[in-house]
Every structure is written in structure tokens, then in C-alpha cells.
Amino acid sequence: QNWDALERRRRCVLKAHPGTGEGAVQAVHSLLRSLRSSSTRRLRVPSPRLAMSSSVVSLQVGQCGIQLGTSLLETIAGEEVGTSPEGGLSGTFFRQQRLVASDSYSIKGTIQRTHPRSVLVDMEPKVIESTVRSENESPLFTFDPRSTFAKQSGSGNNWARGYFEYGSQYGDDILDKARREVEKCDMFGGFLVMQSLAGGTGSGLGARLAQLLKDDFQSNFLLNHCVWPYDSGEVIVQNYNTLLTLSHLHDCSDGIIVTENESLLQTCKRRLDIQRPTFDDLNSVAAKGLASILLPAERQSVDPYDFGGGGGGLEHNLLGSLVEH
């Protein structure tokens, strides 16, 4: 039926343009005859393909950033699983790693693991160790141990210690881990830094890392997600930490998303009827709200010949659509 359609279209063109030269008519006839005599009679029309989506590398800094970031990845993975063409997770927040299983004598096969494009940073090891250990049992994804950075001292809610001392000592080492994640992206879009505004590591070291990332990756987007402390929190210097962090992020970040702890608490109590919400409950509520704007969305195109240029496929640059100005 494709040949009949071409013949009808040719007749319509000739009828609409009676002044067409005889040479053009003969060229059309010659083309049709060569196509008919070809061994392959099937007319192949290119099928619409997905536009390549840029990847996002997340830095989860401090206890709050690590736990909230993990909850966000679990939420995104739960929404995405089974929806991609390969049946796995999309490459925006996750990457695939193939491992060869072998012994001393032969190769047994290959193992494919899904890792988040994340770097976990904390000055105490217990949160990272528990997070990596618990996610290793997850059927969706596992954290890459090479993309974690932990020390033994802690920041003690001291913003200056996290910004000046740890930022100067460990900033380059943490950036090396971020660069390795960027190098594994087919198309890199930007960074998502998740941190708290109250503690020393998330606020002080997080602000320093944001500046270093923007200095090294000036052409890429930087989005910060910050957790606002309670009005009467247990950290006596939280107001100073918050003010100092936001003043530095204002100069380097392309966008700042603020989530209030008090709002999360009231949502759990009034909307979800959880009278004594845990950190997991608060993180789950915050992760669902954040995932609603960060979950890779598909654009529908009405043009079947739009091959990702302006309509069909995944959003081209997720962070760019949120923070570009």
C-alpha cells in the first residue's frame, strides 16, 4: 500500500502543478520503477526515537542530605521501574554497571547492577555505612562504595569547621569522586546538592562544595535542595548556620529549593494522621514532593516525524528546565 500511496501523491502533485517539466515527471517515474525492482519492497520509515536525556549527579552531604537523598532515589526508582524501554531505570539519576563473575578457572557470567549517580559525603561513617548496607539488600539499586566519602571526626554543628577546615582539606578529594560520576554520563546536565541548613557538615561543607562545583563546572547547572530547621531546634547555632549557608549559595547556585521541617511535621500529623512521625516519615514526605518536579517526564509529540528535536521523548535537560534564566 506504500507504493500506491506514493503513486497517488505523485498524481496529486502533477495535478496541482501542471507546469512541472517533463524531466521531473520522468525522474519520478524512474525512481518508482527502481524502488519496485529493488529486492527490498518494504518502505522503511524512521520511527520516532527518544531524545537523549541529560544525567544529574547528586551530592548528598551530611546525615540529612544522605537520608533524604536516599529516600528521593527510592521514590524515583519506584516510579520508574519497568517503564523504560530496557525495563530498568532511566539514565537521569541511575547508571548500569556490568561485572564479570568468574573463578580461578573460568568466567561464570556477567552481573548487572544499578547504581545511583550519587556521591555520599559525611564526616562520620555510621550514616553512610548503614545506608550502603541497607540499600545493598534493595532489588532496585545499590550504592557504589567508591562514590562515598567519610571521616571519623564529625563537624559538631560548627559551620566554620565544615566550610574552612573540611572544605580545604577534603574538597579536592570529594570533587574527584564527583568528576568520576560525571565522566560516566553520556550527556551531563548538572548537579543536585542535598543538604541541611542547621548542622555543620551539611551547611558548612555543603556550601563549600557548591562553590567548588560551580567553579569547575561553570557551564552546567547547580541546584541545591536545603532543609530548613525547626523554629526551636536542638542546634543552638542553627540560625547562624542557615544565614551563612544561604548567603554563599546565593552567589553560586542556579536554584535553591527549601523544604521546612515544620511543614513536613504538620503534613505527617494532619494529612497522614501520623502523630509521632519518624525521620523516615519526614524524609518520605519531602522525597515525594521533590520527586514530583525532578522525576524525568516524557513529552508527547503529535508529529510522528519529530525525532526528539522539539517534542517527543524525555525532557532534554531536567535541571535546565527548572533553573535556567
Side-chain angles (χ1 to χ4, degrees):
Q1 65 271 20
N2 290 328
W3 309 115
D4 295 338
L6 283 174
E7 181 69 22
R8 288 195 300 269
R9 179 172 296 183
R10 183 188 66 84
R11 292 174 181 174
C12 291
V13 170
L14 295 178
K15 185 181 296 184
H17 303 278
T20 304
E22 185 66 25
V25 176
Q26 294 299 329
V28 172
H29 278 289
S30 176
L31 176 62
L32 288 175
R33 284 195 298 270
S34 63
L35 290 175
R36 282 196 177 98
S37 62
S38 176
S39 59
T40 303
R41 294 296 184 91
R42 182 177 299 175
L43 181 63
R44 294 192 176 184
V45 178
S47 59
R49 59 179 173 84
L50 291 177
M52 181 178 292
S53 176
S54 60
S55 301
V56 178
V57 175
S58 62
L59 264 72
Q60 302 168 216
V61 188
Q63 177 180 352
C64 177
I66 292 173
Q67 294 176 343
L68 178 55
T70 303
S71 183
L72 171 65
L73 292 171
E74 291 175 348
T75 302
I76 293 178
E79 293 289 338
E80 285 191 353
V81 64
T83 60
S84 66
E86 295 81 9
L89 302 176
S90 74
T92 305
F93 289 96
F94 300 92
R95 59 179 172 85
Q96 304 294 328
Q97 180 184 19
R98 292 185 179 274
L99 301 176
V100 178
S102 61
D103 53 21
S104 301
Y105 302 98
S106 62
I107 297 177
K108 300 298 184 181
T110 59
I111 302 174
Q112 180 169 306
R113 292 183 179 178
T114 302
H115 296 306
R117 301 185 188 274
S118 302
V119 178
L120 309 184
V121 180
D122 199 5
M123 294 297 105
E124 295 178 348
K126 59 181 180 180
V127 176
I128 291 181
E129 291 175 354
S130 61
T131 301
V132 173
R133 184 170 56 250
S134 62
E135 291 303 324
N136 283 340
E137 302 174 357
S138 172
L140 297 177
F141 64 87
T142 59
F143 281 105
D144 190 348
R146 297 170 296 181
S147 297
T148 62
F149 185 90
K151 293 297 178 181
Q152 300 289 337
S153 54
S155 298
N157 301 320
N158 190 326
W159 187 92
R161 189 176 187 183
Y163 184 87
F164 292 104
E165 182 179 345
Y166 293 151
S168 301
Q169 291 181 5
Y170 309 123
D172 292 337
D173 296 334
I174 298 172
L175 252 64
D176 287 340
K177 294 182 178 292
R179 290 190 192 98
R180 283 197 289 268
E181 286 294 333
V182 172
E183 291 171 356
K184 296 174 184 177
C185 300
D186 293 332
M187 185 186 343
F188 176 61
F191 291 100
L192 171 64
V193 180
M194 309 191 69
Q195 60 194 117
S196 170
L197 295 177
T201 301
S203 61
L205 181 58
R208 180 61 174 168
L209 292 177
Q211 290 180 329
L212 295 175
L213 290 173
K214 197 59 180 178
D215 290 341
D216 281 13
F217 299 88
Q218 298 182 11
S219 61
N220 298 109
F221 294 104
L222 175 63
L223 178 65
N224 289 78
H225 178 269
C226 304
V227 178
W228 193 273
Y230 290 104
D231 295 337
S232 57
E234 59 182 12
V235 181
I236 194 172
V237 294
Q238 65 180 18
N239 296 334
Y240 300 101
N241 294 346
T242 300
L243 181 62
L244 291 169
T245 304
L246 290 179
S247 65
H248 284 76
L249 294 182
H250 179 269
D251 296 332
C252 65
S253 180
D254 296 302
I256 302 175
I257 300 176
V258 177
T259 301
E260 297 180 349
N261 268 331
E262 193 67 33
S263 299
L264 300 177
L265 180 64
Q266 295 303 322
T267 300
C268 289
K269 287 184 176 181
R270 298 180 181 180
R271 299 294 181 90
L272 303 179
D273 197 21
I274 304 175
Q275 297 305 318
R276 292 184 178 181
T278 62
F279 282 128
D280 292 338
D281 297 326
L282 299 177
N283 291 332
S284 178
V285 173
K288 286 182 172 60
L290 189 58
S292 65
I293 61 174
L294 291 178
L295 189 67
E298 290 189 7
R299 301 190 305 263
Q300 298 294 329
S301 174
V302 297
D303 185 2
Y305 294 96
D306 182 4
F307 306 128
L314 290 175
E315 185 65 40
H316 179 69
N317 193 331
L318 183 63
L319 294 186
S321 300
L322 293 173
V323 303
E324 63 183 355
H325 48 73

